Amino acid sequence: MSCCQTLQSTEPQDSGQQSTAQRLDEERVRAASRLVEGQLYQTDFTVPDMHCAACIGTIERGLNSMDQVVSVRANLTTRTVAVVWDAERGPGSAIINFLARLGFDANLQFLGENDSAATDDKGRLLLRSLAVAGFAAANIMLLSVSVWSGADLETAKLFHLISGLIAVPAVVYAGQPFFTSALKALSARRLNMDVPISLAVLLALAMSVFESFTNGAEAYFDAAVTLLFFLLIGRYLDHLMRQKARGAVDQLAQLTAKGGVCVDDPKSPTFVALEDISEGMRLRVHPGERLPVDGRIVQGQTDVDRSLVTGEAASVVCREGDLLEAGVLNQTGSIDIIATSDCRNSFLAEVTKMMDAAERGRGLYVGIADRMARLYAPAVHLLALATFIGWMIYSGGDWHSSIYTSIAVLIITCPCALGLAVPVVHVIGAHQLMRRGIMIRDGSAFERLAEVDHVVFDKTGTLTSGQPAVVQAPHLDMEAIGCVVALSNRSSHPAAKAIAQAFDGGEGATLCDIKEVPGMGIQAHSKVGMVRLGRPNWVAEIAGATPLSMDHSGVAFAQQDGALAFFELEDRLRPDAAGTIAALQQAGLKVEILSGDHAKTVAAVAGELGVASFRDRMTPADKIQYIEKQQSKGGRVLMVGDGINDAPALAAAHASMAPASASDVGRLASDIVFTRPHLKAVLIARELALRTGRHIRQNFALALLYNCLAIPLAVTGQITPLLAAIAMSTSSIVVIANSMRLNLYREPQFEQNAESVAGTAEDADAPDRHTKELEAAA
C-alpha cells in the first residue's frame, strides 16, 4: 500500500464542499486551454498537494478513467498536470471537479501566468514554521536536560508546565504544513506520509499534556517539537528545489515580447497585444526588441542575434525575404515583418513546449527516501494498532500502558533518520560543490549524475569560451591603427569588441560622421577619406578590391582607395577542455559533441580534443531527438550546454550542466551550473555525485539497522516514549555525523593538455605582441 494509496473508491461530494476552483465554468477552462486539433484541447493544472510518485499514479489513473480525457502527464518536479481532452465527449471543467474528489486541489494555469505568488507564500509559511519549531525545540531541550539530570519532583513539574506552554502553540503553528496535508488526505479517504507524522506529534503532545496535568513522571514535549523541526527542514529544502525547477520555463516566457507594433496602416501604427497578433499581420521591430512571433522580413536590413536558435554568438545579417523566429533579438536596424505564425505556434512556443515535455518525460524521478517510505505510512499505523491491541490483551485492559507503548512505537519508528538520510547529504554535497564554484539546482541530480554513461557537449560557449578573440591581426601603420581603435570602440558588435580589446590602450584617431550600418559594419570619415570596419564585401566597396572575389570570414578594415586588411577571429577552447574530455574517456564514458555550427568548424574542434564522434548543424529539435534516442537504448546521457537552444536538450537529458556564462534559460534548465571557466567542474560534480550516492546508501542502512533494533524493543514495552525520543534523536545524530564525512572529499586530479593550454595562451597574447611590434617599428 503506497503512501498515497486510496483506501476506498471516492464518491462525489456535496456541492457545498466543492472549492471555488471546482466551480470554474467551461469558458474559463477553454480560455486557459490550447487547441491541439479539432475539438482536442490541452489544459495545464497546478496541483500543489502532489507529493510523491504514488500521488502521480492516483491522479493519472483517475483522470484516464474519464471519458473526455485522451492523455494525462503529471510532473512531480513542478507539481503540474497536463491533460489533453476531447470537448465532444465532455466538459473540461469536470476535470477539476474529479481532481477535487481525489483529494487534490487544482488550479488552471493560464498562458503567461505563473503561481509564483502562491509559491512564495508557501515558502514563507514553511520558513516561519521552521523558525518557530527550532526556537521551541531549543528551549524545551534545555528544560528537558534539567529534568533528565535528576531534578526534584516539583522542579520537574514546573519545567513540564513551561515546556507545555511553549510546545502546544509551537506545534499548532509549525505543524500546519503536515496537519493540513493529513486532513486533506483523510477527507479524501487516502493515506500519505503526513498522516503518521501528524499522529505521532499530536499523540506525543496530548500524552505530554495529560502527564503534566496528572503529575506524571515523564513528558515528551521535546520529542514532538524536535521531530517537527527536522521534518520541516526536509520539507523546506524540497520546496526550494521545486521552486527553482520551474524557473527555466518561466524564463523562456520572459523572452516573449508583450506584443508588437502593427503597421498594416503605415500612417497610424498601433500596439497589438501578443495574444492578438495573427498570421499575416505586418509588424515593425525596432533595434533592441525581440520578435513577438515568427515572421518574414519585407522591409529593412539588420544584424540579428539568433543564438536562441543556433547557439552561436555571432550576429547574422538579415535582409528582405529572410525568415526570423520568435524570440530572436534585433540588434541594429528597424525592420518590418509579416507574421507567419501566432504566439501559440511560434518557434519560442515550440521550444517552451519541447522543454516542458522533456522535463515531464524524465521518468519522474523520486528521491530514494520517497521510494523507501512508500510502505512507511500503512506499516507504522498497523504496527502501532497491533501493539495497542496486543498490550490491551496482555495487560488486561490497561489502556494507559497500551497507549504509552503505542506512542513509543510511533515515535521510535518516526521517519526522522529516514527523512534526513537524503537532504543532509545533498546539503553537504551542494556545499562542497559551491566551494568549487559549482551550483546544483536539483538535489536529485546527484543520483542521476552518478548514473550517466554518456556525455554530450555543446561546442560554442561550452567547450569554447563563447567570446571571439583576435588571433591574427594585419600589419597596419599607426594612422590606420588609430582608425581601427576609434571605429571598434564606437560599435557594440561582439567582433568589434574583440578588436577593441586586442588594441586595448591604443589611442583612437579623430573621426567624424560615424555611422553603424545594420548588417554591414561601421564607417566614418578621417582626414584621408572614408574608413570602414566590418564585413569584407562591404568594406571592399571603398578599397581597391573586387567584392565578388572576396571569400573571407574575418573582419575587414580599409581606408578610401586603400588595401584591405583582415582580422582573424576565433572562439578559443577552454584551457582544460582536452584534459577534461580525456579524463572522462578514461573513466569509461562515451563523449560526443553536438553543435549547430558548420561541419568544418566542429570537426576541427573535435580533432583537437580527441573526440571521435560529433554532429554538426543540430537544431534544438535534433539535439533533443538524438538524446532521447540514446536514452531509449538504455543510455544515460549527461548534457553539457549553454545556449537557449540547448535548453530542451538540457531538460531531456538524464542529467545536465551549464557554465555560468550560459543564457539565463540554459542555466535554469540545467541541474548544475559551474561558475569557474574550467570544464574540470564536470569531473568534480560526477565524483561528488558518486560519493553522495554512497553516503545516502550508508544512511539508509543505518536508519534500517536502527529500526530493526529499536522497533522490537518498543513493541515489547522495553522502551518508554522518553527513551524512544532519545533513540530517535540519536539515530538522527548518527545519520548527520555520517553525512558530515562528505566534507573530507578531495578533488580528482588529471593531466591537462599542456600544448593546448600553451597554444591558447600564445594566441591570446598574439594581438598585444603584434601591437607592440608595430609601435616599435613606428
Side-chain angles (χ1 to χ4, degrees):
M1 181 174 177
S2 66
C3 68
C4 285
Q5 183 174 343
T6 305
L7 297 181
Q8 62 185 38
S9 61
T10 57
E11 299 294 335
Q13 300 177 1
D14 296 337
S15 59
Q17 296 178 319
Q18 295 178 348
S19 65
T20 302
Q22 295 171 322
R23 297 194 296 269
L24 290 172
D25 56 27
E26 188 69 10
E27 291 183 3
R28 184 169 172 79
V29 174
R30 293 284 183 96
S33 303
R34 177 176 64 88
L35 181 63
V36 179
E37 62 177 353
Q39 290 296 311
L40 290 181
Y41 292 87
Q42 177 176 322
T43 309
D44 293 337
F45 303 91
T46 58
V47 185
D49 295 327
M50 184 167 53
H51 293 298
C52 61
C55 294
I56 292 174
T58 300
I59 291 172
E60 291 187 342
R61 285 193 301 271
L63 291 182
N64 277 321
S65 67
M66 299 181 70
D67 291 337
Q68 64 265 50
V69 172
V70 177
S71 66
V72 182
R73 302 190 75 178
N75 188 333
L76 185 61
T77 303
T78 57
R79 290 178 179 169
T80 58
V81 178
V83 182
V84 177
W85 54 281
D86 191 342
E88 292 182 346
R89 297 182 181 178
S93 57
I95 296 172
I96 297 179
N97 298 331
F98 193 89
L99 284 171
R101 292 199 296 272
L102 292 177
F104 297 96
D105 287 336
N107 300 296
L108 290 170
Q109 196 171 45
F110 287 86
L111 178 67
E113 289 186 0
N114 57 59
D115 56 348
S116 58
T119 301
D120 291 343
D121 289 341
K122 182 177 180 181
R124 283 192 289 268
L125 174 61
L126 285 171
L127 195 58
R128 288 196 302 268
S129 300
L130 180 61
V132 170
F135 173 81
N139 285 276
I140 294 173
M141 192 62 69
L142 289 175
L143 297 172
S144 299
V145 169
S146 300
V147 175
W148 297 341
S149 300
D152 58 66
L153 182 59
E154 293 301 321
T155 302
K157 290 180 180 179
L158 176 62
F159 283 2
H160 285 165
L161 178 61
I162 297 174
S163 297
L165 292 175
I166 297 173
V168 172
V171 169
V172 170
Y173 181 83
Q176 289 181 78
F178 302 103
F179 300 157
T180 303
S181 174
L183 285 173
K184 287 182 179 179
L186 292 174
S187 65
R189 294 183 284 277
R190 293 186 299 112
L191 284 179
N192 63 12
M193 284 285 291
D194 292 334
V195 173
I197 291 174
S198 301
L199 183 60
V201 171
L202 292 176
L203 275 177
L205 184 65
M207 290 303 295
S208 298
V209 172
F210 179 81
E211 285 292 308
S212 298
F213 281 101
T214 57
N215 298 324
E218 298 176 348
Y220 325 107
F221 293 116
D222 53 346
V225 180
T226 303
L227 168 63
L228 197 57
F229 175 66
F230 281 115
L231 292 172
L232 283 167
I233 291 176
R235 185 63 58 90
Y236 184 65
L237 290 174
D238 177 75
H239 169 77
L240 290 179
M241 291 176 184
R242 295 181 191 278
Q243 187 178 21
K244 292 179 180 178
R246 191 66 223 171
V249 175
D250 292 341
Q251 186 67 31
L252 272 178
Q254 292 175 11
L255 286 178
T256 305
K258 301 300 181 184
V261 178
C262 177
V263 289
D264 285 339
D265 182 0
K267 295 182 179 180
S268 57
T270 56
F271 180 82
V272 179
L274 179 64
E275 58 270 17
D276 294 329
I277 296 177
S278 59
E279 187 174 347
M281 189 176 289
R282 181 166 179 150
L283 305 172
R284 181 160 297 163
V285 184
H286 298 287
E289 296 179 348
R290 294 187 180 274
L291 271 69
V293 294
D294 299 345
R296 177 183 287 104
I297 298 178
V298 293
Q299 181 178 329
Q301 177 175 302
T302 186
D303 283 334
V304 174
D305 178 3
R306 296 185 70 245
S307 57
L308 182 151
V309 182
T310 65
E312 304 303 318
S315 300
V316 179
V317 58
C318 295
R319 305 177 178 84
E320 292 183 13
D322 290 341
L323 289 171
L324 296 177
E325 300 83 359
V328 302
L329 179 64
N330 181 19
Q331 292 182 317
T332 54
S334 295
I335 55 173
D336 285 3
I337 66 169
I338 295 294
T340 57
S341 72
D342 57 23
C343 63
R344 294 184 179 273
N345 298 294
S346 67
F347 171 81
L348 191 59
E350 289 299 321
V351 172
T352 303
K353 285 184 285 186
M354 278 193 298
M355 190 168 68
D356 188 55
E359 191 171 1
R360 296 180 193 276
R362 280 186 173 183
L364 300 169
Y365 294 99
V366 293
I368 298 178
D370 286 338
R371 294 201 293 268
M372 293 187 65
R374 286 177 183 175
L375 296 176
Y376 168 80
V380 169
H381 286 96
L382 291 174
L383 182 61
L385 178 61
T387 301
F388 177 77
I389 295 174
W391 271 90
M392 286 290 288
I393 297 172
Y394 175 76
S395 62
D398 185 357
W399 67 270
H400 190 273
S401 60
S402 299
I403 291 180
Y404 258 51
T405 307
S406 299
I407 292 176
V409 172
L410 283 173
I411 294 176
I412 210 165
T413 56
C414 83
C416 222
L418 191 63
L420 290 171
V422 177
V424 172
V425 178
H426 283 173
V427 168
I428 297 173
H431 176 67
Q432 290 297 314
L433 288 175
M434 188 175 296
R435 288 176 54 192
R436 293 162 176 83
I438 306 169
M439 257 72 75
I440 187 165
R441 190 183 61 85
D442 182 359
S444 63
F446 280 119
E447 181 184 351
R448 299 196 301 275
L449 187 59
E451 296 171 344
V452 299
D453 53 17
H454 189 169
V455 184
V456 171
F457 287 94
D458 175 49
K459 182 184 72 68
T460 304
T462 305
L463 294 173
T464 65
S465 63
Q467 296 294 330
V470 177
V471 294
Q472 183 177 345
H475 292 278
L476 301 172
D477 56 33
M478 296 308 297
E479 182 179 349
I481 290 177
C483 293
V484 170
V485 171
L487 290 171
S488 60
N489 282 331
R490 293 294 297 270
S491 175
S492 60
H493 196 282
K497 290 181 178 179
I499 294 172
Q501 185 177 5
F503 292 102
D504 187 24
E507 184 176 352
T510 301
L511 303 177
C512 62
D513 299 330
I514 299 176
K515 178 183 178 182
E516 189 160 13
V517 180
M520 293 299 173
I522 187 168
Q523 68 180 21
H525 284 86
S526 69
K527 60 183 180 181
V528 298
M530 181 176 288
V531 291
R532 284 182 176 180
L533 178 70
R535 298 185 182 275
N537 283 355
W538 179 66
V539 174
E541 294 174 2
I542 67 167
T546 304
L548 294 177
S549 66
M550 296 293 105
D551 186 18
H552 204 285
S553 60
V555 176
F557 167 78
Q559 297 172 314
Q560 189 74 46
D561 298 327
L564 279 173
F566 293 100
F567 291 88
E568 293 289 346
L569 275 66
E570 184 179 279
D571 192 2
R572 295 191 300 267
L573 291 173
R574 293 181 184 265
D576 62 342
T580 298
I581 288 179
L584 290 172
Q585 291 171 335
Q586 291 172 4
L589 300 177
K590 180 181 178 181
V591 179
E592 287 188 283
I593 299 175
L594 303 183
S595 176
D597 210 342
H598 300 286
K600 183 178 179 181
T601 305
V602 181
V605 171
E608 187 172 351
L609 296 176
V611 178
S613 178
F614 63 88
R615 293 174 181 269
D616 56 88
R617 296 181 181 273
M618 299 283 282
T619 64
D622 293 335
K623 291 181 180 181
I624 194 173
Q625 183 179 7
Y626 179 77
I627 289 175
E628 289 177 343
K629 180 180 179 181
Q630 298 303 311
Q631 295 186 153
S632 67
K633 297 178 180 178
R636 300 190 173 182
V637 178
L638 166 64
M639 173 69 188
V640 187
D642 74 310
I644 294 177
N645 63 309
D646 294 320
L650 289 167
H654 194 63
S656 55
M657 295 183 67
S661 58
S663 65
D664 290 343
V665 176
R667 291 197 306 271
L668 290 172
S670 63
D671 299 314
I672 300 173
V673 176
F674 52 96
T675 60
R676 297 179 182 177
H678 304 295
L679 283 180
K680 186 180 179 182
V682 178
L683 296 174
I684 295 173
R686 184 172 183 272
E687 178 64 25
L688 265 172
L690 293 171
R691 288 175 176 261
T692 297
R694 287 197 294 268
H695 282 275
I696 289 175
R697 289 189 292 273
Q698 292 167 5
N699 284 349
F700 277 119
L702 291 171
L704 291 174
L705 178 63
Y706 155 77
N707 280 281
C708 289
L709 295 175
I711 290 176
L713 294 176
V715 170
T716 57
Q718 304 301 311
I719 295 179
T720 65
L722 178 60
L723 291 177
I726 295 174
M728 177 269 295
S729 300
T730 302
S731 68
S732 300
I733 293 172
V734 170
V735 167
I736 293 173
N738 182 65
S739 302
M740 294 292 288
R741 294 193 306 112
L742 196 59
N743 287 321
L744 302 177
Y745 168 76
R746 295 293 180 268
E747 294 183 14
Q749 301 296 322
F750 65 93
E751 296 277 337
Q752 290 199 23
N753 189 325
E755 294 180 0
S756 175
V757 175
T760 303
E762 183 178 351
D763 289 342
D765 294 338
D768 291 336
R769 186 171 61 253
H770 183 64
T771 303
K772 292 177 181 178
E773 292 173 357
L774 290 175
E775 292 175 349

